[in-house]
Amino acid sequence: MIAELEKKTVSMKDAGRVKEIIMSMQRGGEKKLQVISDFDMTLTRFGHNGKRCPTCHNIVDNSQLVSADCKKKLKDLCNTYYPIEIDHTRSIDEKYPLMVEWWTKAHDLLCQQNIRKDMIAPIVKDSGAMLREGYEVFFNGLHQSNIPLFIFSAGIGDILEEIIRQAGVFHDNVNVVSNYMDFDEKGMLIGFKGELIHTYNKNNSVLRDKEYFKQLDNRTNIIVLGDTLGDLTMADGVTNVENILKIGFLNDKVEEQRQMFLDAYDIVLEKDETLDAVNGILKNIGAKN
Ligand code: C5P
Ligand code: MG
């Protein structure tokens, strides 16, 4: 039905059900559709030419704005907590407080580094941040079809926005909920705004604008894109759901996480650095691209 789903990176536990959901979404067309997506390692690439691509946090951590001593501390935190974040043997309840610890410690370190607001654009420019292949079709197609894209990220909002701005795809159909930096009147980083968002609280509890999903209550067909099990609750705030299709990028510890991903996501994309499958589905449902 959709050529892009024939790729060998694509797997599904129940292909029949996926087909039914897509056909039902197709009947609703682009007017009933909305997309909710994670950012780091979902809209951005996990790797390129054998090298890991950075998350929003990594872009700041690796920049010249951060001292060598602080870089080492941030790297140690990453080496401690990232394996916990993706550990398939631990429950979300067990991981939750440890993620709060990781984000809190990292943000506290960053706030000691005299990071200036006007340095965000240049560090993003110099970073190796890369959106997944096919991102132009994805972002521009959704925009041209007036399909809302909600980006729900535990990364850093200022960095995320700058990445999509520099890529020329920050259109007015895009809404972002993320951790935004708080700068003082001199433009120095002094903290992060609002409630902390980490991998395992991406749900209703951290949404500030409760009106967003209410305004979209005629868009009852939802596509969810993520790369962790924490991303599965991103659509919890949607008021009216007819069909929901969950697409998961399985980037790391593939063997260990495969079964868990197949059980949780309708479609699993294994070590696939492209948005081809997503774009194929969107086109099939009626989005322009
Ligand atoms: O956009 P997303 O919700 O995926 O952003 C969060 C990601 O950022 C996490 O999956 C985590 O691996 C990464 N992270 C990081 N450094 C931190 C905190 C989180 O690279 N200090
Ligand atoms: Mg992610």
Side-chain angles (χ1 to χ4, degrees):
M1 178 173 68
I2 297 171
E4 291 84 348
L5 294 183
E6 303 297 324
K7 278 174 76 176
K8 63 179 191 307
T9 50
V10 179
S11 45
M12 294 169 239
K13 193 167 132 179
D14 189 345
R17 211 180 91 81
V18 168
K19 192 174 170 187
E20 274 171 27
I21 297 173
I22 294 175
M23 280 166 61
S24 183
M25 287 188 166
Q26 204 178 37
R27 285 192 291 275
E30 86 276 15
K31 287 198 163 48
K32 287 188 91 175
L33 190 65
Q34 58 171 308
V35 179
I36 300 176
S37 182
D38 168 53
F39 188 72
D40 287 310
M41 310 294 121
T42 293
L43 293 181
T44 56
R45 297 178 68 120
F46 181 75
H48 183 59
N49 290 339
K51 272 182 65 186
R52 284 284 294 271
C53 291
T55 62
C56 293
H57 281 92
N58 297 156
I59 289 173
V60 185
D61 301 355
N62 301 338
S63 74
Q64 86 278 13
L65 303 182
V66 169
S67 70
D69 174 57
C70 185
K71 275 196 172 74
K72 186 185 175 306
K73 287 181 182 153
L74 289 162
K75 185 100 207 114
D76 289 345
L77 288 176
C78 195
N79 291 338
T80 305
Y81 291 103
Y82 175 68
I84 299 173
E85 183 188 23
I86 63 162
D87 184 351
H88 68 293
T89 67
R90 298 187 199 226
S91 70
I92 288 184
D93 284 349
E94 194 184 337
K95 296 189 218 188
Y96 191 109
L98 298 167
M99 294 301 105
V100 175
E101 241 174 65
W102 180 14
W103 263 253
T104 308
K105 286 178 183 171
H107 287 182
D108 286 349
L109 283 167
L110 292 180
C111 291
Q112 295 162 18
Q113 294 297 302
N114 297 326
I115 293 170
R116 277 199 341 257
K117 191 178 169 64
D118 61 357
M119 293 306 291
I120 298 299
I123 65 166
V124 168
K125 200 151 195 279
D126 291 344
S127 74
M130 283 179 88
L131 292 164
R132 278 189 200 270
E133 204 181 308
Y135 75 86
E136 298 98 330
V137 169
F138 175 76
F139 280 94
N140 296 338
L142 290 177
H143 178 235
Q144 281 167 32
S145 312
N146 288 316
I147 298 171
L149 169 61
F150 185 74
I151 302 179
F152 198 165
S153 170
I156 301 174
D158 310 72
I159 302 285
L160 178 173
E161 285 194 5
E162 194 54 38
I163 295 172
I164 57 177
R165 189 176 296 121
Q166 289 184 12
V169 292
F170 194 4
H171 302 304
D172 57 12
N173 64 320
V174 177
N175 268 278
V176 181
V177 168
S178 186
N179 299 302
Y180 279 89
M181 290 171 153
D182 195 8
F183 298 97
D184 67 11
E185 69 286 353
K186 294 198 188 85
M188 288 292 185
L189 178 68
I190 49 165
F192 283 80
K193 294 176 187 165
E195 196 175 334
L196 177 75
I197 305 173
H198 58 81
T199 316
Y200 296 110
N201 71 347
K202 294 171 81 171
N203 54 44
N204 237 346
S205 69
V206 292
L207 293 183
R208 277 147 233 165
D209 180 9
K210 305 277 180 205
E211 290 301 305
Y212 178 79
F213 287 121
K214 266 191 215 153
Q215 285 160 15
L216 299 180
D217 72 348
N218 56 335
R219 295 193 178 260
T220 50
N221 292 333
I222 326 291
I223 291 182
V224 173
L225 309 176
D227 81 301
T228 69
L229 297 194
D231 295 326
L232 291 159
T233 54
M234 293 189 301
D236 280 6
V238 177
T239 39
N240 200 3
V241 180
E242 215 170 317
N243 297 289
I244 183 159
L245 184 69
K246 296 179 177 174
I247 305 175
F249 288 88
L250 177 50
N251 300 313
D252 204 1
K253 295 270 180 280
V254 168
E255 295 300 327
E256 294 89 330
Q257 298 199 91
R258 182 180 291 122
Q259 194 53 50
M260 214 170 57
F261 264 63
L262 282 168
D263 290 339
Y265 281 102
D266 301 304
I267 299 177
V268 176
L269 304 171
E270 205 170 295
K271 288 202 173 295
D272 184 335
E273 296 293 353
T274 77
L275 286 163
D276 293 350
V278 180
N279 288 337
I281 293 167
L282 288 171
K283 190 174 171 193
N284 190 273
I285 297 174
K288 300 182 179 71
N289 69 28

